[in-house]
Amino acid sequence: MEIKDNTFSRQFEAHIDGKLVAIEYSFQEKKIFLTKILTPDPFENDEFINDFLKEIMSIAEQRKLKVVPIHPKTAAFFRKNPVYKELLPPGIRI
């Protein structure tokens, strides 16, 4: 999966079946806030979203960022994948 970090739009972008899927973010200090998931309608491919989020977690690890999940699907991702809980900032429990 190829992910583009569109810094102008503040979103990570990936394509599936020729359609754009994006996850919006914002930065504050050394934290990245995952605020919104933009998908084409109708979109039922949760496995793609999980793979997309895993790639974003890899990017966060490389950049030494903490991840704050704002969107409910990103919070659910952390609940299902406890291996990524180390990326949560101190005091954030999911």
Side-chain angles (χ1 to χ4, degrees), residues 5-12 23-27:
D5 183 0
N6 186 339
T7 55
F8 181 74
S9 297
R10 293 179 305 167
Q11 63 187 18
F12 293 105
I23 297 180
E24 290 184 356
Y25 64 81
S26 64
F27 282 112

Side-chain angles (χ1 to χ4, degrees), residues 49-79:
I49 297 293
N50 283 334
D51 292 342
F52 193 11
L53 285 169
K54 286 178 184 178
E55 292 292 326
I56 291 172
M57 296 307 130
S58 175
I59 292 168
E61 283 179 325
Q62 291 172 0
R63 296 181 185 176
K64 298 181 181 173
L65 298 171
K66 295 294 184 181
V67 179
V68 180
I70 303 295
H71 194 275
K73 282 190 180 182
T74 57
F77 172 81
F78 276 95
R79 278 188 227 104

